[in-house]
Amino acid sequence: IKSERKKTNEKRKSFDDEAQSGDIDADAAARDAVRCLEHAMVVVAGEKNIYRAVVAPSLVPSDEEGAPKISAIYRKACVGAYSYVSACVVDRTMDIIETVFLKEGGIGQSSGAEKEGTATGLTVRAAASAASAGLRILDGVRMLGPSLAKLCEMPLEDPNDEKAKSSTQSPMSIASSLCIAIHRTTVKNTAKTLENLAKAIQEDPANGEKDHRPLDARLASVSSDVVRSIRLISPFVSAYKSVTKRRALPWDPNIGEEAGEMDSYVRFLIMRLLNSLQGKALNYTKNEDDEGGQAKSNMFMINNTFYLLQQLAPEGQDLRSTDIEVFQLDQEWFREKVNAIFKSEKGKYLAHWENINSHLTNVDSTAIEYQKNKKTAFVGLWPVDQRAF
């Protein structure tokens, strides 16, 4: 799997290019990493059975008179040999997981950019796929890691040694230390992918191509990308909690039991999105050659906030899942926050049409002649979802 992924990465020009082609590699790589973890458990379990059947009997002291005593060096050598074999398997699994974060997850790309004080270089779609992949891997590590760590443990002390019996702690083997390192590394890298997603939303260009700020004030791509992001990470509530318990995050500085739930992160993403949309809307008014800039600004916010309301908190529908492992958005808070912006921008937009009335002349109804089967159409200035009104 590692060699195949290396060939794929060599062919790919950039992480951004791969994101545009479907955003499926990150999730596929995460699933492969979890499968590698499962296979590692099978291999290590087999090695432990071999140890118990072949090596362990030679470590049992004989009751016969004159039988040679088992030296501590021999005992340590046997445990060390098992730890060495298990450590090779666990180390390769850890290497594969880190490769997923560095390549498909874009951790290496964003870390290098951060040192230079520049943007992360990840699109919102790419960052969302990476965050979802990180949470998926952490979910697997969280479930399988403790079992793998137990398989890697092997008693080093002589069971007949009184000092070993009184000791509450035993030295950790190489393999068990690597198992702990897998969990710590995965938590750290997953936290980085979550931070990258929030940064990608903040850094989404206020101008430029790729529908970052459409000239006709229609829906911005960042709105649909954030909706997709929330849906991608929502199934990993427990994995997200594993991150917040051990890492202080910009939106949740608490750790341990005082750490917040996924709701705090989703609210943080939504607030970042609303700030990004307002920044884009403001740029419509900065174009002096466009007399309808202010109206476009209002229409842009109407289209985007209406879309968010329809996707994340539709009227008359309950999108909440019965699965406690799936995140449920606080629709009351969301509707109150987004609907306030929607109504404010709608009022401002309709005020522009009131100004048109001052330029219209009243016509008596008797002077109006109706022509049957003759249809006239007024071409709207900007596309707008009529349901918003």
Side-chain angles (χ1 to χ4, degrees):
I1 292 176
K2 182 181 178 182
S3 60
E4 291 177 0
R5 198 161 308 288
K6 184 178 180 181
K7 294 179 182 178
T8 303
N9 290 325
E10 289 175 352
K11 295 179 181 178
R12 186 175 62 197
K13 294 181 180 179
S14 69
F15 184 77
D16 207 28
D17 293 339
E18 192 67 26
Q20 296 177 8
S21 66
D23 298 309
I24 59 174
D25 270 11
D27 186 66
R31 294 177 186 272
D32 287 343
V34 175
R35 291 191 187 99
C36 289
L37 186 61
E38 294 173 347
H39 291 315
M41 289 187 61
V42 174
V43 174
V44 174
E47 291 294 333
K48 193 163 190 176
N49 288 334
I50 294 175
Y51 182 92
R52 288 173 175 172
V54 178
V55 180
S58 66
L59 298 176
V60 178
S62 176
D63 296 333
E64 296 180 2
E65 185 178 353
K69 294 183 178 180
I70 300 174
S71 67
I73 297 177
Y74 176 72
R75 186 180 298 277
K76 290 181 180 180
C78 292
V79 175
Y82 170 77
S83 177
Y84 178 78
V85 174
S86 300
C88 291
V89 178
V90 178
D91 183 54
R92 185 55 58 89
T93 304
M94 184 176 181
D95 189 26
I96 292 173
I97 291 175
E98 287 185 323
T99 302
V100 173
F101 280 109
L102 291 173
K103 298 292 184 180
E104 281 77 12
I107 294 295
Q109 178 180 343
S110 61
S111 298
E114 187 178 2
K115 292 179 181 178
E116 298 173 4
T118 58
T120 60
L122 297 175
T123 64
V124 177
R125 290 186 65 86
S129 296
S132 173
L135 290 170
R136 183 181 296 280
I137 294 175
L138 181 57
D139 214 24
V141 171
R142 184 178 62 87
M143 298 297 292
L144 303 177
S147 299
L148 181 60
K150 289 181 180 180
L151 286 174
C152 292
E153 291 176 354
M154 189 66 65
L156 182 63
E157 297 84 2
D158 186 346
N160 298 323
D161 188 358
E162 296 296 332
K163 185 177 180 181
K165 291 180 180 179
S166 61
S167 177
T168 58
Q169 296 181 348
S170 59
M172 297 179 61
S173 66
I174 300 174
S176 58
S177 298
L178 285 172
C179 286
I180 296 175
I182 285 180
H183 188 269
R184 290 177 178 174
T185 301
T186 307
V187 168
K188 181 186 71 173
N189 289 335
T190 303
K192 184 62 178 177
T193 61
L194 295 174
E195 292 178 17
N196 283 346
L197 175 55
K199 289 180 181 179
I201 298 172
Q202 181 183 18
E203 295 167 356
D204 190 72
N207 287 300
E209 301 176 354
K210 301 182 181 179
D211 295 330
H212 293 297
R213 185 178 68 87
L215 296 178
D216 54 4
R218 64 163 60 96
L219 181 71
S221 59
V222 67
S223 295
S224 60
D225 289 343
V226 171
V227 170
R228 172 181 175 272
S229 302
I230 294 174
R231 289 173 177 169
L232 282 178
I233 65 175
S234 61
F236 304 106
V237 174
S238 298
Y240 175 82
K241 190 66 177 178
S242 296
V243 177
T244 56
K245 279 185 175 181
R246 295 164 179 82
R247 302 281 296 187
L249 302 168
W251 57 90
D252 186 9
N254 298 323
I255 58 176
E257 296 301 326
E258 297 180 357
E261 303 290 340
M262 187 178 284
D263 182 65
S264 61
Y265 180 57
V266 173
R267 291 193 184 201
F268 185 74
L269 295 182
I270 291 174
M271 293 305 300
R272 282 285 176 92
L273 171 61
L274 294 177
N275 290 336
S276 176
L277 292 175
Q278 289 170 344
K280 291 176 173 60
L282 182 61
N283 278 349
Y284 284 105
T285 64
K286 294 181 179 180
N287 188 358
E288 298 179 356
D289 297 331
D290 189 356
E291 296 180 356
Q294 185 60 57
K296 283 185 177 180
S297 174
N298 302 137
M299 180 54 62
F300 176 76
M301 292 302 298
I302 290 173
N303 283 332
N304 283 273
T305 52
F306 182 73
Y307 170 80
L308 294 175
L309 288 169
Q310 287 294 102
Q311 293 295 318
L312 298 178
E315 292 290 344
Q317 297 185 34
D318 190 359
L319 299 181
R320 292 178 297 176
S321 171
T322 56
D323 189 351
I324 61 174
E325 291 296 320
V326 177
F327 166 72
Q328 300 176 2
L329 178 66
D330 185 352
Q331 296 189 7
E332 183 178 353
W333 169 85
F334 180 77
R335 284 197 183 103
E336 181 181 351
K337 185 69 179 179
V338 180
N339 209 31
I341 300 175
F342 171 77
K343 290 182 178 179
S344 174
E345 296 295 335
K346 179 180 176 181
K348 294 176 184 178
Y349 177 75
L350 294 177
H352 294 290
W353 290 96
E354 292 297 330
N355 295 333
I356 297 178
N357 292 335
S358 61
H359 300 282
L360 299 179
T361 303
N362 291 328
V363 179
D364 189 80
S365 59
T366 58
I368 300 177
E369 181 182 354
Y370 174 73
Q371 296 181 359
K372 189 177 182 181
N373 297 329
K374 183 177 180 180
K375 298 181 179 179
T376 59
F378 174 76
V379 180
L381 293 178
W382 308 284
V384 58
D385 194 330
Q386 297 298 328
R387 295 174 299 170
F389 295 90

